[in-house]
Amino acid sequence: MNIVVLVKQVPDTYSERKLSSGDHTLDRDATDAVLDEINERAIESALQLKEGDGAGDSTVTVVAMGPDRATDAIRKALSMGADKAVHLSDEALHGSCAIQTSKALAKVIGTLGEVDLVLAGNEASDGRTGAIPAMVADVLGLPSLTHARELTVDGATVTVRRETDDGVTVLTAELPAVVSVNEKINEPRYPSFKGIMAAKKKPVTTLTLADAGIDASEVGLANATSTVTSSQPKPPKSGGEKVTDEGDGGQKIAAFLVGQKLI
Amino acid sequence: MAEVLVLVDHLDGEIKKSTFELLTAARALGEPSAVVVGPAGSAGKLSEGLKAHGAAKIYVAETDSSDFLTPQVSVLASLVESKDPAAVLIGVSADGKEIAGRLAIRTNSALLGDVVGVSPEGATHSVFGGAFIAEAKANTAHPVITLRPGSVEVEQADGAGAEETVEVPAASGRSATVQSREPVTGGDRPELTEASVIVSGGRGVGSAEQFSVVEGLADSLGAAVGASRAAVDSGFYPHQFQVGQTGKTVSPQLYIALGISGAIQHRAGMQTSKTIIAVNKDPEAPIFEIADFGVVGDLFKVAPQLQEEVTKRKS
Ligand SMILES: Cc1cc2nc3c(=O)[nH]c(=O)nc-3n(C[C@H](O)[C@H](O)[C@H](O)COP(=O)(O)OP(=O)(O)OC[C@H]3O[C@@H](n4cnc5c(N)ncnc54)[C@H](O)[C@@H]3O)c2cc1C
Ligand SMILES: Nc1ncnc2c1ncn2[C@@H]1O[C@H](COP(=O)(O)O)[C@@H](O)[C@H]1O
């Protein structure tokens, strides 16, 4: 199987995240960047499929669109065990909207020949668009099976147990298809030392827009389908009163709530 | 006045509250038209509720297709083409986001996702768990907008509710097929995203059985129950109750955190709550940095006592 995993480098959720005051895009310099945790799970799924593939001829290709430093996220994915990577990186991509991003990712996938399965995270932790995988599927005319908690491939049929806040839906489709995974699907493996060393030698192809057949007018802040016109930090909430329980903690909360007219 | 398409979220003949929020929000942009996609006979039970919330038209597309979400996307896409609406409004949920994204691709529309308010000028986003507020505008006709539940106060309004049948167009690409569906049926407690009071438990609750302490306090307050990811991962409480970065975003009048440390990813889902109460054994727990009132103590002592006080006051 030819498996593609879409990965995104995001600001570490453990650090304070900011919007830049100039163009209101994500201020990538303000924060540490990491491979999004959900994408580690997508890679784990891909590796499990590869390892379980009797024919033993599966490849896992990582695809990322993002600035130069996204190579760190790509290396992490390769050190977990992915075979190779394609990085779409071009100044002109800065500020692209979800529509532009999904069309660009579809173009990159199009350069990879016959792809059987595209894996992605269900939702990135920076934007919470939560729709790129389904949008990519739509651009490619492929079925989208999103929010997978379980994923099986049997011959040319993919089955997904889709688990969301609204319930469980079992979905099937014929390959090729796009699948996004949720955070309960697996526990991603840690890269081994061997894996980290091997990753240094794995091929990473960097594509410019032209390489991927994308016109500059199809991407970027100036051509985005939506524009952020202003942004403001909200003052963080500050702590109020803190008391130590001396056998009357519950009563003290009750008194506070009464004072606030909440009970 | 321009039409605004509103996708109706319904289950077993019941309209979700988020749909009424959409109909209310839509009136700021034009005249709301409700779009019902579902199995034959679904629309009948819904029309009263839709009219009472200002739906001027009700488009009805009946289908027994097992294609996953494709009927909703195709119906909305054909209505966008034929009616040229001012906007399409869809509620934020896993399905809603997917329908919205695919629709925006089909109709070459801007996608304004997960907004907390709409106006003729654009939409308001709350990003990074409410740490930033951003205004955005669409650069295309008929933008597709997803609205976060609980961000708009529902207002009733009379709508003519004129019904019009629409065909479900043939799918343009391949779809996933639905083999089975088990919707989560809400228990007696309010929905997390709709509740005005939430009591949440974390790893400190210690076990699934002991979550009854959280539930007991919640029930005395008529509250919804939430959980941290650590509590969910440890199997104390089901996944759909997770609050935070990768769970639900909530903004109730009152949020009570029991045995939750207040990791940044948890706070991202609840820090815009109006009043926050925290009970934690550890005086250094970061949850106290955002709590309006904090008690350093054992939740198994404090929560039952609070429950007793609340019950006393009610009787
Ligand atoms: C990408 C990513 C996404 C994430 N998304 C989420 C998310 O959506 N939601 C979420 O919640 N987390 C999320 N997390 C996890 C988050 O980082 C924390 O691990 C998690 O919130 C911790 O949960 P907790 O506070 O219940 O557990 P802990 O941090 O272990 O805290 C338990 C607390 O209980 C207290 N305690 C113990 N016993 C008692 C007692 N008897 N009485 C009173 N207090 C007691 C302890 O002092 C401690 O402070 C995410 C992490 C990552 C990396
Ligand atoms: N710029 C990108 N490059 C590669 N993959 C992406 C990108 N943006 C989104 N994705 C994929 O889509 C998933 C969901 O992201 P989103 O829809 O933005 O919340 C992510 O977990 C990735 O798998």
Side-chain angles (χ1 to χ4, degrees):
Chain A
M1 259 199 302
N2 190 358
I3 306 171
V4 169
V5 188
L6 301 178
V7 306
K8 188 174 185 187
Q9 167 145 303
V10 296
D12 191 346
T13 58
Y14 287 102
S15 53
E16 193 192 340
R17 294 169 292 172
K18 290 196 169 82
L19 294 177
S20 60
S21 47
D23 60 8
H24 316 295
T25 59
L26 185 64
D27 186 347
R28 292 182 193 272
D29 298 328
T31 44
D32 294 336
V34 294
L35 172 61
D36 205 355
E37 188 205 53
I38 194 68
N39 292 143
E40 294 183 22
R41 298 180 199 269
I43 292 159
E44 178 63 39
S45 284
L47 296 174
Q48 288 180 11
L49 287 173
K50 177 180 158 142
E51 287 154 7
D53 173 12
D57 61 354
S58 289
T59 54
V60 177
T61 309
V62 169
V63 167
M65 159 176 157
D68 281 348
R69 65 192 266 214
T71 44
D72 297 345
I74 290 171
R75 285 292 165 207
K76 171 97 188 261
L78 293 174
S79 64
M80 286 177 69
D83 299 299
K84 56 192 171 72
V86 178
H87 181 188
L88 178 65
S89 174
D90 201 300
E91 287 289 312
L93 289 164
H94 175 78
S96 293
C97 67
I99 308 277
Q100 295 169 317
T101 301
S102 32
K103 289 184 175 170
L105 288 170
K107 282 260 171 73
V108 175
I109 294 167
T111 66
L112 297 173
E114 300 256 327
V115 171
D116 299 298
L117 185 64
V118 178
L119 277 167
N122 61 344
E123 187 165 280
S125 61
D126 56 352
R128 297 209 70 164
T129 309
I132 296 285
M135 292 165 79
V136 169
D138 232 75
V139 177
L140 295 169
L142 298 181
S144 72
L145 301 86
T146 48
H147 301 275
R149 189 192 179 140
E150 280 167 33
L151 161 66
T152 48
V153 176
D154 186 6
T157 307
V158 53
T159 304
V160 151
R161 186 178 160 87
R162 178 183 206 263
E163 211 169 284
T164 70
D165 292 343
D166 297 316
V168 175
T169 310
V170 175
L171 298 173
T172 56
E174 294 304 298
L175 297 176
V178 177
V179 171
S180 80
V181 303
N182 78 14
E183 62 175 340
K184 301 285 175 250
I185 193 160
N186 57 36
E187 279 308 318
R189 65 192 68 185
Y190 287 104
S192 63
F193 179 70
K194 221 175 109 201
I196 294 169
M197 296 316 286
K200 294 188 173 146
K201 296 194 202 85
K202 288 179 178 172
V204 179
T205 312
T206 306
L207 299 182
T208 61
L209 286 182
D211 297 333
I214 300 166
D215 193 86
S217 68
E218 298 171 62
V219 292
L221 198 58
N223 309 307
T225 63
S226 60
T227 306
V228 177
T229 50
S230 70
S231 69
Q232 269 167 5
K234 258 182 100 174
K237 211 169 156 51
S238 49
E241 203 182 335
K242 185 164 82 178
V243 301
T244 301
D245 181 31
E246 279 155 4
D248 59 354
Q251 287 157 355
K252 283 197 169 140
I253 298 176
F256 176 83
L257 294 178
V258 169
Q260 301 285 313
K261 299 199 170 49
L262 284 162
I263 54 172
Chain B
M1 216 188 332
E3 266 186 75
V4 180
L5 299 180
V6 168
L7 180 64
V8 177
D9 193 0
H10 59 100
L11 183 68
D12 299 335
E14 297 247 3
I15 306 171
K16 295 258 179 84
K17 184 178 173 218
S18 59
T19 300
F20 298 137
E21 295 170 356
L22 296 176
L23 287 167
T24 305
R27 296 204 291 273
L29 307 177
E31 204 169 51
S33 297
V35 181
V36 177
V37 182
S42 350
K45 297 180 214 136
L46 310 177
S47 66
E48 280 314 306
L50 297 174
K51 279 187 206 170
H53 291 86
K57 283 189 189 158
I58 304 175
Y59 296 114
V60 180
E62 295 188 332
T63 169
D64 48 17
S65 162
S66 58
D67 282 355
F68 184 61
L69 303 183
T70 305
Q72 285 88 336
V73 175
S74 314
V75 165
L76 287 169
S78 82
L79 285 169
V80 165
E81 184 158 338
S82 59
K83 311 290 174 186
D84 192 24
V88 183
L89 292 188
I90 299 175
V92 167
S93 66
D95 291 2
K97 285 180 171 185
E98 179 155 349
I99 294 166
R102 290 170 59 183
L103 177 65
I105 291 283
R106 299 271 175 104
T107 56
N108 286 313
S109 312
L111 177 63
L112 297 171
D114 197 19
V115 311
V116 295
V118 294
S119 72
E121 288 72 47
T124 308
H125 295 271
S126 165
V127 278
F128 303 144
F132 276 80
I133 288 288
E135 300 291 332
K137 69 175 178 55
N139 302 326
T140 70
H142 40 72
V144 179
I145 304 173
T146 59
L147 183 71
R148 190 184 290 177
S151 29
V152 169
E153 199 72 47
V154 174
E155 283 168 32
Q156 296 217 331
D158 284 334
E163 285 191 30
E164 203 177 299
T165 307
V166 278
E167 290 295 315
V168 180
S172 63
R174 289 196 299 121
S175 293
T177 306
V178 177
Q179 301 297 344
S180 67
R181 241 185 237 277
E182 306 154 37
V184 170
T185 42
D188 296 337
R189 297 195 183 95
E191 276 258 0
L192 256 181
T193 49
E194 293 173 2
S196 55
V197 181
I198 295 173
V199 182
S200 283
R203 200 194 318 259
V205 176
S207 70
E209 294 71 46
Q210 288 172 344
F211 241 80
S212 60
V213 172
V214 181
E215 293 184 328
L217 176 58
D219 290 341
S220 73
L221 289 159
V225 174
S228 72
R229 186 163 95 171
V232 170
D233 284 351
S234 312
F236 301 171
Y237 222 63
H239 178 220
Q240 72 260 29
F241 297 98
Q242 182 174 318
V243 171
Q245 166 96 46
T246 45
K248 290 200 159 119
T249 305
V250 298
S251 199
Q253 293 299 320
L254 174 61
Y255 188 92
I256 302 181
L258 303 174
I260 294 178
S261 62
I264 196 162
Q265 297 94 346
H266 187 77
R267 283 156 47 167
M270 48 65 74
Q271 64 196 4
T272 57
S273 305
K274 307 289 173 305
T275 300
I276 297 171
I277 307 278
V279 180
N280 197 304
K281 279 202 297 210
D282 173 9
E284 304 300 324
I287 191 76
F288 289 123
E289 291 163 18
I290 57 162
D292 298 279
F293 193 82
V295 173
V296 180
D298 184 351
L299 74 93
F300 296 106
K301 299 214 175 87
V302 177
Q305 189 180 62
L306 172 56
Q307 181 182 334
E308 202 179 301
E309 291 294 314
V310 172
T311 315
K312 244 194 264 170
R313 257 165 247 269
K314 272 199 296 200
S315 57

